[in-house]
């Protein structure tokens, strides 16, 4: 920390995630500080820049790290913003730490390295426990999603949610408080969860406390729905999707792919029970569900589009070896592969995640991804100059380009299939 001149009884502490991850031996990317015994006027005089509208937060004049005045809170209304905060200089460090969600996030470190841990967060870090700090935990419904996200982040370390904390999360769900969370805030937490170590844990924890049924019932209903065991040894559709999520994260590590995998089988949730374990045309039935969810959470356009494409066409990718060159070209056109090659890569990665997210098939070879990319690559290599020299323009030129692409795919396909 760069030198900051203290004013009277002002004290400065490193808090939250930086202390937590430092104690876990993980890389610390962002550092947040809390200032005890000061006022906005004092910090501004020292060159700090005030930012944010919800509570006084300041950027250090040199490091640009965030410094917040110690605060206490009082619940006044529903939702995670229904609080009145007190930022007076007499708010203590322990009062500030007490308002935090989990004990592992309520640890502070003084500038000389002393650890202040009034709620035994260090012990919970050592034991891999996500435990609430106080009963005030129930006052903020966003904490249900945050705890689920931390479970996904530290799944590789074996972290679990304390039973008493899970009980409070269930109480929050039953209270109806989750309905006060905005779609944008839910999406923000979900988006971050898609990039955590094991995204599946986010959704499993939400399901355990009943929150998944409230937030995303289309996904929740997949659990318990059977699939043909010859294709899905794990049988349960919800379990299949969770396995796919972790495969997507582990091997491809891009949230847009993980999102597409999350929604790709929603159509199986509307299959009549009399047709189980088959799911005829589930890929078509799933498209409006993906559209509805994307609209509800205001999902970014590229995420929404890829989710729909993977939902509708993942079986085509799986059956690639059975397709004729003309059908392969139509698939590439549907994905808009020639104008957006990066989308094709994401599409193929999501399809591979689906194929490998099955019990005992996690390490299976999935050559269809490279075959599909190979078809696209060869089809893109169309020299338009001869066609232009022959006088083709406009629609006629587009037709000739498509004809050449089809020829190139057919030639590649004969070689690839041997």
């Amino acid at each position: 920390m760069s030198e900051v001149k203290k004013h009277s009884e002002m004290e400065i502490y490193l808090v939250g995630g930086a202390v937590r991850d430092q104690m876990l031996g993980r890389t610390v990317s962002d550092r947040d500080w809390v200032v005890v015994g000061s006022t906005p006027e004092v910090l501004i005089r020292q060159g700090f820049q005030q930012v944010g509208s919800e509570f006084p937060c300041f950027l250090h004049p040199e490091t640009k790290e965030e410094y917040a005045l110690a605060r206490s809170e009082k619940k006044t209304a529903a939702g995670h913003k229904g609080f009145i905060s007190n930022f007076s200089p007499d708010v203590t460090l322990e009062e500030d730490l007490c308002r935090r969600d989990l004990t592992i996030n309520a640890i502070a470190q003084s500038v000389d390295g002393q650890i202040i841990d009034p709620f035994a967060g260090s012990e919970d870090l050592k034991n891999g426990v996500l435990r609430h700090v106080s009963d005030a935990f129930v006052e903020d419904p966003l904490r249900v999603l945050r705890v689920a996200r931390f479970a996904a982040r530290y799944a590789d370390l074996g972290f679990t949610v304390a039973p008493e904390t899970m009980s409070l999360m269930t109480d929050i769900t039953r209270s109806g408080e989750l309905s006060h969370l905005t779609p944008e805030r839910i999406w923000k937490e979900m988006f971050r969860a898609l990039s955590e170590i094991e995204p599946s844990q986010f959704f499993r924890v939400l399901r355990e406390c009943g929150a998944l049924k409230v937030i995303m019932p289309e996904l929740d209903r997949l659990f318990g729905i059977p699939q043909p065991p010859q294709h899905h040894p794990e049988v349960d559709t919800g379990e299949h999707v969770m396995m796919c999520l972790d495969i997507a994260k582990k091997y491809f590590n891009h949230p847009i792919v993980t999102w597409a995998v999350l929604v790709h089988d929603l159509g199986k949730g509307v299959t009549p029970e009399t047709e189980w374990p088959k799911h005829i045309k589930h890929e078509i039935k799933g498209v409006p569900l993906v559209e509805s969810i994307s609209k509800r959470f205001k999902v970014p356009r590229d995420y929404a589009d890829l989710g729909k494409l993977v939902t509708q066409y993942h079986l085509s990718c799986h059956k690639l070896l059975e397709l004729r060159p003309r059908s392969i070209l139509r698939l590439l056109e549907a994905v808009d592969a020639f104008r957006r090659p990066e989308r094709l890569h994401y599409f193929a990665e999501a399809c591979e995640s689906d194929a490998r997210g099955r019990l005992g098939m996690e390490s299976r070879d999935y050559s269809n991804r490279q075959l599909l990319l190979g078809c696209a690559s060869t089809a893109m290599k169309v020299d338009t100059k001869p066609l232009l020299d022959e006088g083709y323009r406009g629609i006629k030129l587009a037709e000739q380009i498509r004809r050449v692409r089809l020829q190139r795919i057919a030639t590649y396909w004969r070689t690839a299939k041997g």
Side-chain angles (χ1 to χ4, degrees):
M1 180 185 73
S2 296
E3 185 65 26
V4 173
K5 185 178 179 180
K6 292 187 178 181
H7 181 269
S8 63
E9 299 302 318
M10 183 172 76
E11 297 176 339
I12 299 173
Y13 300 90
L14 184 65
V15 293
V19 181
R20 178 196 67 226
D21 288 344
Q22 180 178 282
M23 296 179 74
L24 286 173
R26 294 198 166 186
T27 301
V28 175
S29 54
D30 296 308
R31 300 196 305 173
D32 294 319
W33 304 83
V34 66
V35 181
V36 178
S38 189
T39 65
E41 294 75 21
V42 170
L43 292 180
I44 290 172
R45 282 201 300 270
Q46 294 196 33
F48 284 80
Q49 177 187 356
Q50 185 169 347
V51 295
S53 58
E54 294 184 19
F55 55 87
C57 186
F58 303 84
L59 298 183
H60 189 282
E62 296 178 14
T63 67
K64 303 306 178 185
E65 292 176 337
E66 290 192 0
Y67 286 64
L69 293 175
R71 73 183 191 266
S72 59
E73 294 177 330
K74 181 180 180 181
K75 181 77 168 177
T76 58
H80 77 286
K81 292 186 177 181
F83 295 90
I84 291 180
S85 298
N86 171 26
F87 304 98
S88 66
D90 59 354
V91 175
T92 66
L93 175 63
E94 185 167 334
E95 286 175 321
D96 182 90
L97 296 176
C98 183
R99 67 174 177 76
R100 297 173 186 266
D101 50 7
L102 298 172
T103 60
I104 64 171
N105 296 329
I107 309 172
Q109 183 179 19
S110 65
V111 292
D112 61 2
Q114 179 186 356
I115 294 296
I116 298 91
D117 183 17
F119 304 104
S122 302
E123 193 68 18
D124 284 337
L125 274 178
K126 182 166 51 176
N127 295 327
V129 177
L130 300 173
R131 190 191 316 276
H132 64 283
V133 174
S134 72
D135 288 344
F137 178 91
V138 300
E139 295 178 350
D140 186 354
L142 184 62
R143 289 174 170 175
V144 173
L145 279 70
R146 279 178 53 82
V147 172
R149 182 162 56 80
F150 281 117
R153 176 178 298 181
Y154 298 121
D156 61 324
L157 299 179
F159 271 69
T160 58
V161 181
E164 60 271 29
T165 303
M166 182 64 73
S167 179
L168 291 183
M169 292 165 65
T170 302
D171 290 343
I172 293 173
T173 301
R174 290 173 178 169
S175 73
E177 278 275 308
L178 293 177
S179 65
H180 295 285
L181 295 176
T182 65
E184 294 89 345
R185 199 64 184 84
I186 294 174
W187 167 251
K188 184 177 180 179
E189 289 297 321
M190 194 181 304
F191 173 78
R192 295 176 69 180
L194 295 175
S195 296
E196 301 293 6
I197 295 293
E198 286 186 22
S200 64
Q201 285 301 108
F202 175 78
F203 299 98
R204 291 186 188 281
V205 169
L206 291 183
R207 184 165 182 265
E208 186 174 348
C209 69
L212 187 60
K213 189 174 183 179
V214 175
I215 292 171
M216 201 172 179
E218 302 90 343
L219 177 62
D220 184 74
R221 71 167 66 107
L222 295 183
F223 290 88
I225 293 180
Q227 305 165 106
Q230 65 269 31
H231 301 302
H232 289 275
E234 73 286 349
V235 180
D236 187 283
T237 305
E239 291 300 321
H240 163 60
V241 172
M242 295 299 101
M243 295 174 70
C244 292
L245 281 180
D246 293 339
I247 289 289
K249 163 60 185 178
K250 181 177 180 180
Y251 292 99
F252 304 114
N253 195 25
H254 198 295
I256 194 171
V257 176
T258 316
W259 168 255
V261 166
L262 178 70
V263 300
H264 84 282
D265 261 353
L266 294 182
K268 292 179 180 179
V270 296
T271 301
E273 190 171 344
T274 54
E275 297 180 10
W276 291 355
K278 294 182 178 180
H279 296 278
I280 300 170
K281 295 186 177 180
H282 74 275
E283 68 279 13
I284 303 301
K285 296 175 183 177
V287 171
L289 296 175
V290 176
E291 290 176 335
S292 176
I293 287 176
S294 298
K295 183 178 180 180
R296 184 165 80 238
F297 291 130
K298 301 181 181 180
V299 172
R301 179 66 179 272
D302 54 342
Y303 279 66
D305 288 347
L306 184 69
K308 288 190 293 184
L309 288 169
V310 173
T311 297
Q312 185 168 355
Y313 295 108
H314 64 276
L315 291 186
S316 296
C317 190
H318 295 337
K319 297 177 180 178
L320 196 65
L321 293 174
E322 303 171 23
L323 299 184
R324 295 180 178 181
R326 191 175 300 277
S327 296
I328 294 175
L329 178 57
R330 283 199 292 266
L331 174 59
L332 293 174
E333 291 171 338
V335 179
D336 202 9
F338 303 119
R339 292 192 307 166
R340 300 189 59 180
E342 78 287 351
R343 176 189 278 179
L344 177 66
H345 280 267
Y346 293 149
F347 171 84
E349 290 169 358
C351 291
E352 179 167 342
S353 300
D354 173 37
R356 295 172 63 180
R358 309 175 190 213
L359 189 62
M361 302 184 188
E362 297 86 348
S363 300
R364 71 184 295 187
D365 177 60
Y366 188 76
S367 59
N368 289 22
R369 176 167 68 93
Q370 291 303 327
L371 287 173
L372 183 62
L373 297 177
C375 287
S377 178
T378 193
M380 286 179 183
K381 299 172 183 176
V382 176
D383 185 0
T384 58
K385 187 176 185 303
L387 299 176
L388 292 169
D389 291 344
E390 292 180 35
Y392 290 107
R393 297 291 187 277
I395 295 177
K396 293 296 184 181
L397 176 61
E399 290 174 347
Q400 289 303 310
I401 291 175
R402 192 173 192 275
R403 178 183 60 80
V404 176
R405 283 174 173 167
L406 183 58
Q407 291 175 346
R408 293 186 66 85
I409 289 174
T411 300
Y412 173 85
W413 206 230
R414 284 194 297 269
T415 302
K417 295 179 69 173

